[in-house]
Amino acid sequence: SVNAAYNLNRSTSQSGFINSNQTEGLNYGMNLSFPIFDGFNINRRRQNAELNWQRMQTEFDKTAAAIAADITRAYVSYANYIKQSEIEKDNTKAAREFMEISFARYKVGTLTALEWREAQLKYLDAVNRLIAAQYLAKYAETDLKRLSGQLVQQAEAAASVQ
């Protein structure tokens, strides 16, 4: 540390050997200090800092692995729902053809009304399964975009256009 001071001192007296006295001057100095022994505090702080760094690195790696696992799970779900949608499209097409054939047989009289109604219900079930598979595929796509950050980017892009 460095210090400096300027002093001005003046004293006067009514009687005596010296009637007045005045001193002035600049004082300056420098002080240097260093610890000889700090009780191993510096070493302890360094070790604590290293442990905190390792703990934070472990937390970061753990979070990154969890996000990667979530993205992988979301992608696998998305791919499965897309495949299921394609299968349900084929099933819906087959159920519609079956319903049309059943209607033709019903008009000819070789099929009962109950069997005709059953064909209609099978077609409606196939359509419902297709809609459910498409919904789940869109939901999985949204989840995948959310996890990868694309959903936020799309929202920001849409907001900047407006």
Side-chain angles (χ1 to χ4, degrees), residues 63-82:
T63 303
I67 290 171
D70 287 346
I71 289 173
T72 302
R73 178 197 45 79
Y75 178 74
V76 168
S77 294
Y78 173 69
N80 286 340
Y81 288 132
I82 291 294

Side-chain angles (χ1 to χ4, degrees), residues 9-13 18-23:
N9 189 9
R10 182 180 202 157
S11 64
T12 59
S13 69
I18 300 176
N19 286 340
S20 72
N21 186 13
Q22 180 176 344
T23 59

Side-chain angles (χ1 to χ4, degrees), residues 8-9 19-20 37 53-54 60 65-66 90 92 122-123 131:
L8 175 62
N9 189 9
N19 286 340
S20 72
F37 180 71
W53 173 257
Q54 290 173 354
F60 177 80
D90 292 340
T92 302
K122 285 183 182 183
Y123 173 70
I131 291 170

